[in-house]
């Protein structure tokens, strides 16, 4: 599937930072929102074999199967020679070959099931690959070995068996798949995480104003529900009574609680921070915001992946080469010698074709890569994401919480009067805001504390409706009001996209403060790295034009503002239709569909569970600089995978024709024992090469 994940659209609403609703302050700071527009249609895509990296999970737990198969395999290898050669650690006794036959039968029935079931899947899709090749190897080695044992007791003829090769191949392949599945990890259930945002019951307001608890599933459009402080809102709707600040960060990715008043829309799943809200239900069921997000997630997960598993391709080639070589060897040796010799060459060819090293080539690199990544705070859930990242053309990044801290902070505070120092202006601002719990007020107070500036004590503080706050101290009147309410801009160092408020004393502006979302320290460096690698960065944010433009200009990148989940989803979709390989980086529910649909989804670890479930890669430290480490890891891991595939498959491509006897006319025949040694050497080289994977400090 083409990147596996989900989403809907929402329009964050325009809201004013109005201090009427949160204590002594009113700045009328603008915040952005985006109107919800339902996602109605997407093309149906054929599913080519399930979710990436998890094609065979439904055939059982490789860990459990490996551990239960291990004792049988060890006993078989202790009692059976390797391609006719008995090693010092091996032994035999009367009828030990019968015991081995019984154990091998149990082993192929239980331990071999994931492979022949997987092979059936591959043949149904007409793309034989690793599972088909492994099934061929274990099948031929098992049945021929059973034939060899039967022949010994019926005809007395000693025929070499391949029980050792059968058991070792089966155990190595089970171990390889266990390592791979453990390293890749299980993808989380994003849709379940979304559903958990919704409360199960709602407080329905009846006609007599009494309250009745009712399951959310039974709510209807037009119902009036009551939402207490701290509760999640049960459904999309419009506030009929009450005022509060609502935390929509889980849904929109925006960190600041948004002030909500009568007539404002609220989204089901968001949290009512304070106060009591009476909400008229507008959308339920499939039309709700969360339901639309789930729909987009399903659509993204159902789309096929255009990236191919290189190991499977190599295995597919090996499968056809082995079959062709074996059939050719049988025909030629049957013509030149006898049936027994022809069968021996044929079986030897097929057994040597078994991908011992190839089976570990990718899992060992994945395990090493996963360990390295984890030490840097990079959790790679889908190994295919590493290869895709090396081909990336575009990286789409969310703003809030991804490139910026997601916290409303004072970016700059200055004095605009010769009569006051910066600290004195800051003391007045912190004093006049000291009684408010509003995020902007608190950011000013915190800024003063960090600067070790003691707030001025005010004798009275009052809200200026729609403008800000005023207070009196030492007989003088001060106002801290928004730039919009003040009506003009006074020049000072204003960071791009910042919200500005002015401190006014008796009608004279004496100070100014700029507040906004701060860039993370590593964001600029990341942009330079992406450009140097030929990856075009695009910032897609739900924030308003002004805020988005400021951050984009500071980073020197392209941007798109007022982006709903639907908009982000369609942006990724349009780029992919142009043939671009897209990496999406985000942290909120609004990013989840895009994370799912993009070729590579990278979730910021401090983001929502839905975003983490929808992504292929998780940055646990929420640092944009870790994206650079991920890109480096992707390039080096992919390089090691390719090297291991060459080592793992190269042996097979060379050994198969020799095992088939192609060089026999000039006296060169690959003895089974030598073939086994080469097989082991190839496996060791693959393992050592995987361990040499390193990242720069």
């Amino acid at each position: 599937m083409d990147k596996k994940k989900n989403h809907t659209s929402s329009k964050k609403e325009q809201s004013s930072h109005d201090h009427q609703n949160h204590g002594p302050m009113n700045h009328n700071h603008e915040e952005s929102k985006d109107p919800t527009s339902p996602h109605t249609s997407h093309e149906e895509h054929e599913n080519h074999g399930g979710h990436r990296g998890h094609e065979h999970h439904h055939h059982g737990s490789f860990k459990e199967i490996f551990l239960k198969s291990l004792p049988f395999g060890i006993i078989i290898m202790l009692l059976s020679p390797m391609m006719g050669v008995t090693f010092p650690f091996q032994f035999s006794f009367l009828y030990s070959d019968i015991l081995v036959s019984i154990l091998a039968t149990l082993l192929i029935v239980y331990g071999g099931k994931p492979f022949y079931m997987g092979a059936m899947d591959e043949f149904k899709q007409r793309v034989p690959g690793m599972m088909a090749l492994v099934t061929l190897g274990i099948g031929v080695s098992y049945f021929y070995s059973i034939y060899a044992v039967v022949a010994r007791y019926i005809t007395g003829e000693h025929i070499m068996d391949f029980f050792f090769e059968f058991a070792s191949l089966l155990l190595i392949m089970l171990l390889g798949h266990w390592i791979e599945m453990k390293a890749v990890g299980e993808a989380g259930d994003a849709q379940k995480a979304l559903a958990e945002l919704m409360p199960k019951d709602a407080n329905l307001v009846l006609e007599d104003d009494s309250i009745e608890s009712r399951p959310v599933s039974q709510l209807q459009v037009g119902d009036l529900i009551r939402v207490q402080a701290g509760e999640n809102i049960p459904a999309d709707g419009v506030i009929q009574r009450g005022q509060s600040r609502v935390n929509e960060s889980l849904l929109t990715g925006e960190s600041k609680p948004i002030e909500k008043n009568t007539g404002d829309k609220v989204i089901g799943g968001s949290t009512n921070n304070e106060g009591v809200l009476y909400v008229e239900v507008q959308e339920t069921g499939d039309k709700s915001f969360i339901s639309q997000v789930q729909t987009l997630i399903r659509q993204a997960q159902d789309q096929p992946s255009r990236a191919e598993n290189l190991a499977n391709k190599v295995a597919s080639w090996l499968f056809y080469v082995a079959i062709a070589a074996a059939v050719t060897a049988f025909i030629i040796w049957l013509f030149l010698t006898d049936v027994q010799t022809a069968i021996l060459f044929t079986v030897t060819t097929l057994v040597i074709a078994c991908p011992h090293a190839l089976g570990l080539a990718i899992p060992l690199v994945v395990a090493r890569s996963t360990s390295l990544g984890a030490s840097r705070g990079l959790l790679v859930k889908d190994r295919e994401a590493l290869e895709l990242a090396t081909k990336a053309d575009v990286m789409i990044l969310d703003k809030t919480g991804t490139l910026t801290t997601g916290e409303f902070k004072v970016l700059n505070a200055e004095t605009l009067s010769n009569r006051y120092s910066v600290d004195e202006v800051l003391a007045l601002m912190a004093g006049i805001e000291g009684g408010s719990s509003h995020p902007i007020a608190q950011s000013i107070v915190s800024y003063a504390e960090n600067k070790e500036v003691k707030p001025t004590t005010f004798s009275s503080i009052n809200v200026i409706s729609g403008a800000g706050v005023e207070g009196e101290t030492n007989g003088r009147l001060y106002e801290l009001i928004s730039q919009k309410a003040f009506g003009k801009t006074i020049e000072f160092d204003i960071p791009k996209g910042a919200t500005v408020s002015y401190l006014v004393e008796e009608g004279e502006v004496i100070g100014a403060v700029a507040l906004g979302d701060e860039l993370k320290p590593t964001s600029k460096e990341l942009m330079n790295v992406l450009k140097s690698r030929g990856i075009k960065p695009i910032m897609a944010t739900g924030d308003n034009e002004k805020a988005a433009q400021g951050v984009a200009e500071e980073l020197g990148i392209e941007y798109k503002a007022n982006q709903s989940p639907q908009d982000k989803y369609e942006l990724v979709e349009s780029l992919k239709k142009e043939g671009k390989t897209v990496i999406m980086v985000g942290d909120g529910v609004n990013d989840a569909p895009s994370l799912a649909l993009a070729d590579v989804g990278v979730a910021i670890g401090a983001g929502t569970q839905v975003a983490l479930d929808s992504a292929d890669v998780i940055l646990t430290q929420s640092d944009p600089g870790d994206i650079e480490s991920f890109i480096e890891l992707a390039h080096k891991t992919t390089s090691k995978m390719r090297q291991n595939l060459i080592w793992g498959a190269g042996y097979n491509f060379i050994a198969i024709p020799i095992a088939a006897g192609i060089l026999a006319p000039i006296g060169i025949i690959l003895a089974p024992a030598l073939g086994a040694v080469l097989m082991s050497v190839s496996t060791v080289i693959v393992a050592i090469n995987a361990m040499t994977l390193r990242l720069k400090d």
Side-chain angles (χ1 to χ4, degrees):
M1 72 174 223
D2 197 32
K3 194 74 232 58
K4 26 183 207 206
K5 303 155 188 142
N6 24 352
H7 220 109
T8 191
S9 88
S10 136
K11 172 121 177 163
K12 298 189 217 156
E13 314 184 326
Q14 189 77 21
S15 146
S16 66
H17 178 89
D18 189 332
H19 281 68
Q20 291 174 281
N21 306 315
H22 33 260
M25 175 168 178
N26 193 335
H27 290 293
N28 204 25
H29 299 303
E30 295 178 2
E31 295 174 340
S32 64
K33 316 237 164 121
D34 313 51
T36 353
S37 64
H39 181 75
T40 52
S41 68
H42 279 282
E43 295 179 27
E44 296 287 335
H45 296 276
E46 182 186 357
N47 192 321
H48 295 297
H51 300 328
R52 298 198 310 249
H54 306 283
E55 292 91 336
H56 306 290
H57 280 195
H58 58 290
H59 298 312
S61 164
F62 283 106
K63 175 183 177 181
E64 179 182 354
I65 296 173
F66 170 76
L67 293 177
K68 289 182 178 179
S69 300
L70 185 59
F72 295 99
I74 290 176
I75 295 172
I76 291 171
M77 289 188 288
L78 288 174
L79 298 177
S80 303
M82 183 170 74
M83 287 196 170
V85 179
T86 302
F87 288 91
F89 62 83
Q90 295 176 316
F91 63 95
S92 62
F93 49 84
L94 187 63
Y95 302 128
S96 62
D97 52 356
I98 293 179
L99 174 61
V100 167
S101 299
I102 294 171
L103 293 176
T105 302
L106 295 174
L107 188 58
I108 195 170
V109 169
Y110 179 71
K113 183 178 179 181
F115 301 108
Y116 54 72
M117 293 295 288
M120 287 172 61
D121 290 345
E122 290 178 349
F123 282 118
K124 285 177 183 176
Q125 297 172 24
R126 299 180 182 178
V127 282
M130 183 69 75
M131 292 300 187
L133 187 58
V134 174
T135 299
L136 178 67
I138 62 176
V140 168
S141 56
Y142 167 77
F143 286 110
Y144 184 80
S145 298
I146 293 294
Y147 157 74
V149 172
V150 171
R152 286 175 204 160
Y153 287 94
I154 293 179
T155 67
E157 183 182 6
H158 181 77
I159 300 174
M160 181 177 66
D161 64 63
F162 293 94
F163 281 124
F164 185 99
E165 290 70 32
F166 158 75
S168 63
L169 173 63
L170 191 56
L171 290 179
I172 284 178
M173 296 310 297
L174 285 172
L175 176 62
H177 279 76
W178 173 23
I179 292 172
E180 180 180 13
M181 291 303 110
K182 182 179 178 181
V184 169
E186 297 287 348
D189 187 346
Q191 295 184 53
K192 180 180 177 183
L194 269 176
E196 289 174 353
L197 294 177
M198 299 294 291
K200 294 181 179 178
D201 298 306
N203 294 317
L204 182 67
V205 181
L206 303 179
E207 290 184 3
D208 61 359
D209 230 19
S210 62
I211 302 297
E212 177 183 296
S213 180
R214 182 168 295 182
V216 170
S217 60
Q218 295 181 15
L219 290 178
Q220 298 180 358
V221 174
D223 282 347
L224 187 65
I225 53 177
R226 185 185 70 184
V227 186
Q228 302 279 85
E231 293 181 344
N232 279 13
I233 295 171
D236 298 356
V238 174
I239 298 173
Q240 296 299 312
R241 304 196 319 253
Q243 57 188 30
S244 180
R245 286 202 299 277
V246 175
N247 187 340
E248 297 180 346
S249 61
L250 290 176
L251 303 169
T252 66
E254 304 307 321
S255 60
K256 299 186 295 293
I258 298 171
E259 185 179 330
K260 298 288 186 178
N261 296 293
T262 300
D264 287 340
K265 292 182 178 181
V266 290
I267 301 172
S270 57
T271 304
N272 179 22
N273 277 11
E274 56 188 43
V276 178
L277 295 177
Y278 289 82
V279 178
E280 180 183 335
V281 176
Q282 280 199 325
E283 300 289 358
T284 61
D286 294 343
K287 294 183 179 179
S288 68
F289 177 90
I290 283 183
S291 180
Q292 291 180 50
V293 171
Q294 290 173 317
T295 298
L296 284 175
I297 290 175
R298 278 194 300 272
Q299 289 171 340
Q301 288 177 334
D302 288 341
Q303 293 187 14
S305 173
R306 71 183 178 189
E308 296 184 64
N309 185 310
L310 189 54
N312 247 346
K313 284 181 66 175
V314 173
S316 181
W317 298 335
L318 268 176
F319 177 82
Y320 290 115
V321 168
I323 293 294
V327 171
T328 303
F330 179 80
I331 294 172
I332 292 175
W333 288 107
L334 180 63
F335 177 76
L336 295 176
T337 56
D338 53 40
V339 173
Q340 183 62 43
T341 302
I343 291 176
L344 181 62
F345 270 103
T346 301
V347 173
T348 303
T349 299
L350 291 174
V351 172
I352 281 182
C354 295
H356 286 73
L358 186 60
L360 287 175
I362 300 301
L364 286 176
V365 175
V366 169
R368 175 62 179 168
S369 174
T370 301
S371 175
L372 277 178
S375 69
R376 299 290 184 92
L378 313 174
L379 303 183
V380 181
K381 293 165 56 180
D382 186 343
R383 66 172 163 78
E384 192 175 11
L386 294 167
E387 183 180 353
L388 285 167
T390 64
K391 305 172 184 177
D393 302 300
V394 179
M395 181 179 288
I396 301 172
L397 303 105
D398 181 41
K399 181 181 80 71
T400 308
T402 301
L403 294 174
T404 64
T405 60
E407 301 173 8
F408 214 60
K409 291 184 177 181
V410 173
L411 304 180
N412 187 29
E414 288 192 12
T415 179
L416 300 178
S417 169
N418 295 330
R419 295 184 293 109
Y420 291 93
S421 68
V422 174
D423 284 354
E424 289 171 333
V425 165
L426 187 56
L428 288 165
M429 291 179 180
I432 205 169
E433 293 285 33
S436 174
S437 61
H438 191 278
I440 289 180
Q442 288 302 302
S443 66
I444 293 174
V445 172
S446 297
Y447 184 75
E449 288 177 355
N450 293 336
K451 294 286 186 179
E452 298 184 348
V453 173
K454 184 179 179 181
T456 302
T457 302
F458 279 76
S459 57
S460 66
I461 297 175
N462 299 301
V463 171
I464 306 172
S465 179
V469 66
E470 64 180 8
E472 190 174 332
T473 181
N474 297 323
R476 302 189 70 81
L477 182 67
Y478 294 88
E479 297 172 315
L480 187 57
I481 56 178
S482 66
Q483 183 179 33
K484 181 178 179 181
F486 187 65
K488 59 181 179 179
T489 302
I490 296 179
E491 291 300 325
F492 78 106
D493 185 13
I494 305 175
K496 292 183 181 298
T499 297
V500 176
S501 293
Y502 294 112
L503 181 64
V504 180
E505 178 191 29
E506 303 288 350
E508 177 192 351
V509 177
I510 62 169
V513 60
L515 305 103
D517 202 1
E518 203 172 32
L519 273 180
K520 290 182 178 178
T522 52
S523 292
K524 286 186 178 180
E525 177 60 25
L526 173 61
M527 298 305 105
N528 295 332
V529 170
L530 293 177
K531 292 174 183 176
S532 69
R533 288 190 176 274
I535 302 173
K536 178 182 180 181
I538 300 175
M539 184 181 75
T541 176
D543 272 1
N544 58 43
E545 183 76 20
K546 180 181 176 183
Q549 182 180 14
V551 172
E553 288 183 358
E554 193 170 352
L555 293 174
I557 61 174
E558 183 180 323
Y559 73 96
K560 293 184 180 296
N562 297 309
Q563 294 285 290
S564 67
Q566 179 73 38
D567 295 330
K568 291 184 180 183
Y569 186 95
E570 290 177 353
L571 174 60
V572 173
E573 191 173 49
S574 65
L575 288 168
K576 291 184 68 176
K577 285 181 178 178
E578 292 173 10
K580 307 288 188 184
T581 299
V582 181
I583 300 177
M584 172 71 193
V585 184
D587 69 338
V589 170
N590 64 326
D591 300 316
S594 311
L595 289 169
L597 181 62
D599 295 290
V600 181
V602 180
I604 296 295
T608 69
Q609 186 61 44
V610 176
L612 304 187
D613 288 342
S614 303
D616 303 299
V617 182
I618 298 170
L619 309 183
T620 61
Q621 299 174 30
S622 300
D623 183 359
D626 288 340
I627 300 174
E628 178 183 351
S629 297
F630 164 64
I631 298 296
E632 180 194 359
L633 182 68
H635 280 273
K636 290 188 174 180
T637 299
T638 301
S639 176
K640 285 293 182 185
M641 284 181 177
R642 288 171 180 164
Q643 291 169 16
N644 268 8
L645 285 175
I646 291 173
W647 281 111
Y651 151 78
N652 295 79
F653 282 118
I654 294 172
I656 286 173
I658 298 177
I662 194 173
L663 299 180
I666 59 174
I668 299 177
I669 295 177
L670 181 61
L674 180 58
V677 171
L678 291 177
M679 189 184 297
S680 300
V681 170
S682 177
T683 303
V684 171
I685 291 175
V686 162
I688 293 174
N689 189 49
M691 292 303 105
T692 60
L693 177 61
R694 296 281 190 278
L695 288 179
K696 66 182 181 182
D697 295 326

